Amino acid sequence: KQEVTQIPAALSVPEGENLVLNCSFTDSAIYNLQWFRQDPGKGLTSLLLIQSSQREQTSGRLNASLDKSSGRSTLYIAASQPGDSATYLCAGKAYSSASKIIFGSGTRLSIRP
Amino acid sequence: EAQVTQNPRYLITVTGKKLTVTCSQNMNHEYMSWYRQDPGLGLRQIYYSMNVEVTDKGDVPEGYKVSRKEKRNFPLILESPSPNQTSLYFCASSLIGGLSNQPQHFGDGTRLSIL
């Protein structure tokens, strides 16, 4: 059964720093992995989706990587800004249960001006 | 604008009073799903639908019902709500489900409080 873990639960860094958010999953037979952003009182916004055949995806200052052998994904945020403050969630879809995506509990990110 | 719309956004009600949370998408998506989000537990899937008239249980379906009579709508029904169903609920949709790389799109959420 796929389990997804995100550590740390919360992170606070000064503006301008590059940072990495971590996501680990137990089922290496992963079909894809998606990173979301959640703002308070809002729904989830899809940031990046990495297919199992891909190693990484990039969008602007965001770069997500996928290493199936180690069961890890990272979200790299370059030159962080206060507007990046939000909760970041990763979610994996496994071949064995493709009808759903399994979410991690998220990392609450705070960027200090 | 492409979106998933949930109503109501907030609801406070009492135990046992039937309620329905509506979800509608305007993207002609086949796949729709309901999640609940609780502190420390993350998002858990309640029910999903691969297409019209096709629904199935997720991980926490107890106490909930759904229907998919039209492609765009996927209402969540609580026949007899109880306090343990107090939560933040999200509806999501994607073009197709199963082994597809279509991203899921989420509504803004419905915060339910059952007293």
Side-chain angles (χ1 to χ4, degrees):
Chain A
K1 180 184 174 184
Q2 180 73 277
E3 293 181 6
V4 179
T5 304
Q6 291 183 252
I7 295 174
L11 181 65
S12 178
V13 300
E15 180 178 3
E17 279 201 8
N18 302 325
L19 60 97
V20 174
L21 304 181
N22 296 297
C23 172
S24 60
F25 47 91
T26 55
D27 187 350
S28 61
I30 193 162
Y31 187 74
N32 63 41
L33 190 130
Q34 196 168 357
W35 281 93
F36 294 88
R37 169 184 172 139
Q38 184 176 22
D39 293 285
K42 292 285 189 179
L44 281 68
T45 301
S46 179
L47 297 173
L48 291 163
L49 184 147
I50 313 173
Q51 301 176 29
S52 60
S53 58
Q54 299 172 326
R55 293 296 297 268
E56 63 180 64
Q57 281 283 344
T58 298
S59 176
R61 294 182 294 108
L62 305 180
N63 175 277
S65 67
L66 178 65
D67 184 342
K68 292 185 294 181
S69 61
S70 67
R72 293 178 189 272
S73 176
T74 61
L75 179 67
Y76 175 84
I77 302 177
S80 58
Q81 303 170 358
D84 294 330
S85 297
T87 297
Y88 290 81
L89 297 147
C90 68
K93 177 186 284 191
Y95 279 92
S96 59
S97 56
S99 62
K100 62 185 176 184
I101 55 176
I102 305 297
F103 282 86
S105 293
T107 294
R108 190 171 67 254
L109 177 64
S110 175
I111 308 297
R112 306 188 300 269
Chain B
E1 179 189 352
Q3 58 187 4
V4 178
T5 304
Q6 296 179 226
N7 280 296
R9 292 290 316 280
Y10 305 92
L11 178 63
I12 300 174
T13 187
V14 295
T15 299
K17 185 176 181 182
K18 180 180 178 180
L19 67 91
T20 299
V21 185
T22 64
C23 174
S24 180
Q25 50 89 8
N26 62 359
M27 297 170 279
N28 202 35
H29 284 175
E30 290 187 355
Y31 177 89
M32 298 185 75
S33 182
W34 276 103
Y35 298 87
R36 60 180 287 175
Q37 185 177 32
D38 302 288
L41 296 175
L43 278 93
R44 294 175 292 167
Q45 190 182 52
I46 304 170
Y47 268 95
Y48 66 95
S49 170
M50 297 293 277
N51 212 328
V52 176
E53 301 291 2
V54 181
T55 63
D56 211 341
K57 296 177 181 178
D59 293 320
V60 287
E62 297 77 20
Y64 304 95
K65 286 175 56 178
V66 293
S67 69
R68 188 89 183 275
K69 296 179 180 153
E70 308 164 283
K71 200 171 192 178
R72 64 183 294 126
N73 296 322
F74 190 44
L76 179 70
I77 303 157
L78 285 72
E79 293 271 3
S80 182
S82 62
N84 64 11
Q85 293 178 297
T86 293
S87 187
L88 179 58
Y89 291 84
F90 289 102
C91 180
S93 72
S94 64
L95 187 60
I96 55 176
L99 291 177
S100 104
N101 286 306
Q102 295 294 326
Q104 291 202 10
H105 301 263
F106 281 75
D108 283 342
T110 294
R111 186 167 292 282
L112 282 184
S113 293
I114 316 293
L115 305 177

